[in-house]
Amino acid sequence: MKLLDIGLLSASLLLTCFTGIAQKDEQPLRLQHIPSDGVPYAQIFDSRVKDASVYQKRGNKFFFIWGATKPDPIEGVTISKYFPSYRNPERQFDIEWYKKNHPDWIIYKEDKVTPAYGYIYDYGGLVPLDVSNPEVREFYLKEFMLPAVKQGYKVVAMDNVDLGNWPGAAGKYDKGKWVQLYTGKKNDKAFQENMIGWMRYLSENLNPLGVQVAANIKANSAPNDVVLRMMHSVNIWLDENGFTHTGKNITGSNWQRQFDYLKEIALIKGYISINQVEGAVEQADPAQIEWVIANFLLTRGPQSLLAITPFIDKKAIYQEFHYRPEMNVNIGSPVDKAVRQKAAWTRKFTKGMVVVNPSATETVSINLPKGKWKTIGGQIKQKTIQVAPASGFVLTRL
């Protein structure tokens, strides 16, 4: 413990120094280099990307890495350090270490015996911590995050920031006595408030250092007002559902929920839209790729980024770099907000427009402005366009 206390003291001094430096720069925190036109992309993990030059080779570039393996700077790309929500991120601090040093920090399930891991890996689980405890928050920040900041990471990537109590967390032991914190059920208001408070704590302490907090938040994990409060507590919303999830296009009320959140969030926050297309990205259905890009452009804000990943054998595949010609489309910058036309939505850009039909059943005929329009697939459209259910078009003005 003595060595650890020294480490915390050093981290405390480091925090003070960082804060003093950061206060000289009062510019609002933003992801760097993101253009107003085209489609800016994000890479989701990078352990299988051997050549970082791929990010900046094409017309539409990659500007952010969620969970970068190295702190090495990449020109034009913001890197983030991965952290697993409320679980201990370093395996050397295992369950036995916490039982010996901080037994009152461990969160258990309703049986009062099983740690509320959430996920179990081949090496076991990452220790679930009571992030409502101020001491835990300070320890997590100083022991794990500030060293990453010192290495050069500009964003902390907080994964699985769900407002639903999916790990089944129930309580902890304090001096051997059981303390009930949560119901153990998925919909738990105390759990929601503590998670929001945890993210707010990180933002309040890291933003003055010039470091942003990105959170993987499930949009359907709690009532809408609670989810929005969580989104507003961080700088960047990572949306793992996007508008295509597990290979299927999102439609109907689920689509509308995503759209409604983005009307409020995308204009003022960073946003990363992960879309898991069916099969390998390079061989995926062109119509699904156009749907993904059309939805992104329909809702994008100045700090929005798109990620297109494969969904193969019932599993999302991250870590790899994927690119195909359609991803290089550029219809300029948005000139207005999305507008509803019948069951579909449209948005105008300086060099084109997008059309999205989120209905799962209804085909929609949309009147086009005068002139000729070309789809990503090269089709020429005039006067009207038929938009099938769960489909979209990115149209370039000719």
Side-chain angles (χ1 to χ4, degrees):
M1 285 298 294
K2 291 183 179 179
L3 289 176
L4 184 58
D5 290 340
I6 292 172
L8 286 175
L9 178 60
S10 299
S12 180
L13 292 173
L14 181 63
L15 177 61
T16 302
C17 294
F18 278 156
T19 304
I21 294 171
Q23 287 174 344
K24 298 178 181 179
D25 182 7
E26 297 181 356
Q27 296 297 320
L29 294 180
R30 297 175 64 86
L31 294 172
Q32 299 299 308
H33 311 297
I34 299 177
S36 62
D37 64 345
V39 182
Y41 290 95
Q43 172 70 32
I44 309 303
F45 299 111
D46 65 350
S47 61
R48 300 178 188 172
V49 182
K50 304 304 180 184
D51 180 8
S53 69
V54 296
Y55 299 130
Q56 298 288 296
K57 277 186 175 179
R58 296 169 176 82
N60 283 339
K61 298 176 172 59
F62 285 66
F63 298 94
F64 180 80
I65 301 174
W66 168 271
T69 55
K70 299 178 181 179
D72 303 340
I74 302 172
E75 185 176 358
V77 182
T78 299
I79 58 175
S80 68
K81 177 69 173 179
Y82 177 88
F83 294 97
S85 185
Y86 78 112
R87 296 171 292 155
N88 165 79
E90 300 291 344
R91 287 164 56 183
Q92 66 265 31
F93 295 103
D94 60 12
I95 192 71
E96 296 304 321
W97 187 90
Y98 278 99
K99 284 181 177 180
K100 179 180 178 181
N101 295 282
H102 294 290
D104 57 321
W105 290 5
I106 306 170
I107 293 291
Y108 293 90
K109 290 177 172 288
E110 288 182 277
D111 64 9
K112 304 180 182 180
V113 175
T114 308
Y117 289 119
Y119 294 103
I120 300 294
Y121 307 96
D122 55 359
Y123 55 82
L126 297 174
V127 181
L129 303 176
D130 175 18
V131 294
S132 69
N133 184 335
E135 292 182 355
V136 172
R137 293 181 177 183
E138 184 178 17
F139 174 79
Y140 203 114
L141 174 69
K142 293 179 178 178
E143 184 68 28
F144 306 128
M145 291 184 169
L146 290 185
V149 173
K150 185 177 181 181
Q151 287 180 312
Y153 288 100
K154 297 300 183 183
V155 179
V156 294
M158 305 303 296
D159 199 11
N160 306 127
V161 186
D162 295 339
L163 288 158
N165 184 7
W166 53 273
K172 65 178 183 179
Y173 288 97
D174 186 2
K175 298 178 181 178
K177 184 179 179 180
W178 177 255
V179 179
Q180 190 82 21
L181 295 176
Y182 312 117
T183 63
K185 307 302 181 183
K186 185 175 181 181
N187 186 19
D188 188 298
K189 290 184 178 180
F191 183 88
Q192 294 166 359
E193 291 303 316
N194 285 339
M195 288 300 292
I196 293 172
W198 171 220
M199 291 302 109
R200 186 178 295 120
Y201 170 87
L202 291 178
S203 295
E204 289 173 351
N205 282 275
L206 290 171
N207 287 177
L209 312 183
V211 177
Q212 299 189 65
V213 178
N216 180 2
I217 305 167
K218 282 189 177 180
N220 61 351
S221 59
N224 292 354
D225 61 323
V226 178
V227 174
L228 277 172
R229 285 177 55 215
M230 174 63 89
M231 292 176 180
H232 282 294
S233 72
V234 298
N235 306 102
I236 302 167
W237 172 28
L238 178 87
D239 176 15
E240 198 168 6
N241 284 352
F243 287 97
T244 296
H245 187 61
T246 66
K248 300 175 182 177
N249 295 348
I250 293 175
T251 59
S253 61
N254 291 330
W255 184 95
Q256 190 64 49
R257 181 184 59 239
Q258 299 285 99
F259 180 81
D260 289 342
Y261 282 135
L262 285 169
K263 282 194 298 184
E264 178 169 341
I265 294 299
L267 290 177
I268 59 175
K269 297 278 183 179
Y271 172 64
I272 303 166
S273 177
I274 299 179
N275 293 262
Q276 303 167 358
V277 297
E278 182 64 31
V281 171
E282 289 77 7
Q283 284 78 49
D285 183 355
Q288 188 170 63
I289 297 294
E290 189 159 11
W291 157 269
V292 167
I293 296 175
N295 274 283
F296 173 78
L297 291 173
L298 184 76
T299 57
R300 79 159 289 190
Q303 291 278 285
S304 296
L305 298 165
L306 176 61
I308 302 178
T309 65
F311 189 78
I312 302 172
D313 295 332
K314 299 182 179 181
K315 184 178 180 181
I317 308 298
Y318 299 141
Q319 294 120 8
E320 302 172 349
F321 180 82
H322 296 280
Y323 206 89
R324 54 189 282 171
E326 298 99 313
M327 292 169 62
N328 207 37
V329 66
N330 188 342
I331 58 172
S333 305
V335 297
D336 61 11
K337 298 179 181 179
V339 177
R340 184 162 189 167
Q341 293 193 38
K342 303 177 183 177
W345 290 82
T346 65
R347 190 181 191 186
K348 294 180 181 178
F349 287 72
T350 54
K351 300 178 184 178
M353 64 180 294
V354 295
V355 182
V356 171
N357 179 10
S359 171
T361 58
E362 181 181 352
T363 296
V364 181
S365 178
I366 296 294
N367 294 325
L368 296 174
K370 291 182 180 180
K372 293 183 179 180
W373 304 83
K374 183 174 70 172
T375 69
I376 286 182
Q379 296 177 313
I380 305 301
K381 303 291 183 180
Q382 290 181 269
K383 296 183 179 179
T384 62
I385 187 169
Q386 300 298 312
V387 192
S391 67
F393 290 101
V394 180
L395 302 169
T396 302
R397 182 186 293 274
L398 296 179

